[in-house]
Amino acid sequence: MFVVVGVTGGIAAYKTVQLVRLLVKDGHEVHVVPTDDALRFVGLPTWEAISRHAVTTSVHDDVARVRHVALGQSADLVIVAPATANTLAKMTAGLADDLLGTTLLATTAPVVVAPAMHTEMWRHPATVANMATLRERGVIVVGPDDGELTGGDSGPGRMTEPEAILERALAAVDGGARDLEGLRVVVSAGGTREPIDPVRFIGNRSSGRQGVAVAMAAADRGADVVLIAAHVDDGPLVEACAHPRVRIVRAGTAAELGEVAAIEADSADIVVMAAAVADYRVAEVSPLKRAKESAPGDGITLDLIENDDILAALVRARRDGQSIVGFAAETPGEGETLLERGRRKAARKGADLLAVNEVGWERGFESGENALAIIDASGDLVASATGSKRDVAEVLWNAVLKVRGSRAEIE
Ligand code: CTP
């Protein structure tokens, strides 16, 4: 394959050396097109040595071979890694003031971008709007990952690792990246909040990041997605809002989520219940802030009522051909492994798949990483995944497609 790798001015450019190496090792013809700024991070000789082709940033070199459009025309795949906020803005506007800009305008090949920048820049409304436009035009966005950034900051903005970029890019060329096209997907995410009074609630530690990653992955693979958002951290929600194929419906309490889920699932092909739904609600929600009437050390009692099991209700109402996926956040118990607990829950819930993940004081929450074991209704392990919440989401969708495929074969 003829692959163009655009490199722009971010420190993550050093990781792109590995990406180019992997592509060359895979037998592809790789042409690196750095911006001038990128060369301040990794020099031109490195790109030439690793790609084994001449490298230039200028539209004025190699003019006889019309290089400014020839690379784009010849490309089977264009990857821009790292893609800075500036380059993404230039791509959105269609600016072509350097060789990378002209190449991007001249190509009809799949374009994959791996953004890398500080979280503030990634979440700036300008970048958010640019990403929406690029996605709408069919650009495949890989990452950014959540983690440590230069200068000690941390959050979404880290360039995805070269191996993962390569995998997604090759899938894009195979058309595999659009394998959910035409499917209507509903994903619930985040933690519900059950009010006690106007100022207090019973909630949980779910940030909604895993559910949002599941929704975004489905949308990037071509599905039309409804994201039912309980309490979700602002960052992931802003990203989801900007996706042209994600519609967001808010639901605060378990009861609200149940109502919305029933309506949205009615026409869905696949439903994923990633939300952390409260098992109980407060029996009598006080219309006024409850005053403290106890003394230090005294106990008080709050009456709770069990909520309906939304997942179980969805399974009962499941229409033909609909797939339903549940999540189970488990703390390893005494005398029972995580998988055994998951299997019992899978049998009880009746969903097609159950994604089991271990949680604890230090695990599972408020982190960019996750580890999942995915089991089917009979308790068999279908897949397991460890990595960023997005990586894990991709594995989950592969598993969903696998069970849908094997069910279609039986029918
Ligand atoms: N779930 C649901 N409705 C509820 C509780 C949970 O739909 N009232 C869904 C969750 O969205 C998740 C799955 O059921 O997909 C498992 O949730 P979990 O809280 O692990 O299971 P519970 O049934 O509440 O079992 P337990 O609390 O005993 O572990």
Side-chain angles (χ1 to χ4, degrees), residues 273 275 277-279 308-311 326-329 345 348-349:
M273 280 293 294
V277 182
D279 289 329
D308 291 337
D309 189 321
I310 302 165
L311 181 61
F327 264 73
K345 196 166 278 185
R348 183 156 54 84
K349 299 270 180 178

